[in-house]
């Protein structure tokens, strides 16, 4: 099952990037010609070392998300937003639920939007965890994973949405992401 999860993630990320939006990652590079995501310094992805995985702290990643998100929005000329702590609590809880069933929350209120994604550990395998804060780099990567979807990016870059909640959950081979906003 783990093999199929990894295979699906790689096929999705390597083939689905329509690249309507620019990739700002310090970890990934994307070729519009080959429609392939690769490590920014070339080469191939691998599975991260146990030493690298031991340095990952989702509390730190979650703590960086508002700053990383506002930097991401700034790259697109969008204003900064604020974080709603209750919405963040809900997003964290839902990110964990994504491990059981990867689907959008059908119980969202009409004034809320949500984007969800998974980042397989393979895609973070080339982060230089000895010279940089791996948790900050992962937080920065989280928003780039959505550039392949116009609808996801429309929610993330919507100027009318000013309040967001963020959740990242680490399971055995990936991170589940849930980001919510209010209209």
């Amino acid at each position: 099952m783990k093999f199929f999860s990894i295979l699906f993630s790689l096929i999705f990320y390597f083939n689905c990037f329509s690249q309507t939006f620019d990739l700002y990652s310090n970890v990934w590079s994307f070729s519009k010609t080959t429609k392939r995501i690769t490590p920014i310094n070339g080469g191939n992805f691998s599975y991260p070392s146990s030493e690298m995985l031991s340095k990952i702290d989702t509390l730190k990643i979650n703590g960086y998300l508002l700053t990383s998100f506002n930097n991401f929005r700034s790259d697109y000329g969008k204003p900064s937003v604020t974080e709603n702590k209750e919405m963040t609590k809900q997003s964290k809880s839902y990110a964990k639920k994504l491990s059981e069933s990867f689907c959008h929350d059908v119980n969202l209120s009409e004034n809320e939007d949500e984007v969800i994604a998974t980042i397989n550990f393979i895609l973070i395998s080339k982060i230089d965890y000895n010279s940089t804060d791996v948790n900050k780099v992962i937080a920065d990567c989280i928003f780039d994973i959505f550039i392949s979807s116009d609808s996801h990016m429309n929610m993330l870059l919507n100027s009318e949405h000013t309040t967001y909640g963020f959740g990242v959950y680490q399971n055995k081979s990936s991170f589940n992401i849930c980001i919510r906003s209010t209209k």
Side-chain angles (χ1 to χ4, degrees):
M1 186 66 163
K2 182 178 175 182
F3 172 76
F4 290 111
S5 173
I6 291 171
L7 182 61
F8 172 76
S9 293
L10 290 174
I11 290 169
F12 175 80
Y13 293 120
F14 290 161
N15 292 318
C16 291
F17 274 70
S18 65
Q19 203 58 26
T20 302
F21 297 92
D22 291 325
L23 183 67
Y24 286 100
S25 176
N26 291 325
V27 176
W28 302 319
S29 177
F30 182 79
S31 168
K32 291 180 183 180
T33 307
T34 63
K35 301 215 182 287
R36 246 188 103 189
I37 187 172
T38 59
I40 199 159
N41 295 323
N44 296 307
F45 292 109
S46 58
Y47 199 78
S49 69
S50 58
E51 183 180 355
M52 177 188 189
L53 292 174
S54 72
K55 293 182 184 256
I56 295 172
D57 182 342
T58 55
L59 289 175
K60 288 183 180 180
I61 294 169
N62 279 291
Y64 288 127
L65 289 176
L66 178 61
T67 300
S68 293
F69 186 52
N70 279 326
N71 290 336
F72 176 79
R73 285 178 59 91
S74 176
D75 287 340
Y76 290 100
K78 300 297 179 179
S80 294
V81 299
T82 59
E83 180 177 11
N84 177 297
K85 297 295 183 185
E86 183 58 32
M87 197 179 305
T88 287
K89 184 178 174 184
Q90 294 167 1
S91 295
K92 287 178 181 179
S93 176
Y94 201 74
K96 185 175 181 178
K97 287 181 182 179
L98 292 172
S99 294
E100 299 163 16
S101 176
F102 192 82
C103 61
H104 284 282
D105 188 348
V106 296
N107 297 314
L108 283 179
S109 67
E110 287 186 27
N111 70 331
E112 290 182 311
D113 277 334
E114 169 186 82
V115 293
I116 59 174
T118 299
I119 297 178
N120 191 289
F121 287 168
I122 289 172
L123 294 176
I124 61 157
S125 65
K126 298 302 180 182
I127 295 174
D128 182 359
Y129 60 89
N130 289 314
S131 66
T132 186
D133 181 352
V134 67
N135 299 297
K136 174 66 171 127
V137 176
I138 292 168
D140 291 343
C141 290
I142 283 175
F143 304 101
D144 266 345
I145 206 68
F146 293 105
I147 68 165
S148 67
S149 169
D150 290 345
S151 62
H152 286 88
M153 290 296 286
N154 288 337
M155 187 278 246
L156 294 173
L157 299 177
N158 191 320
S159 296
E160 295 176 11
H161 295 213
T162 59
T163 306
Y164 286 78
F166 310 95
V168 173
Y169 176 76
Q170 179 181 351
N171 58 36
K172 292 180 181 180
S173 62
S174 63
F175 298 100
N176 295 333
I177 302 150
C178 177
I179 302 169
R180 293 182 176 176
S181 70
T182 55
K183 299 175 185 176

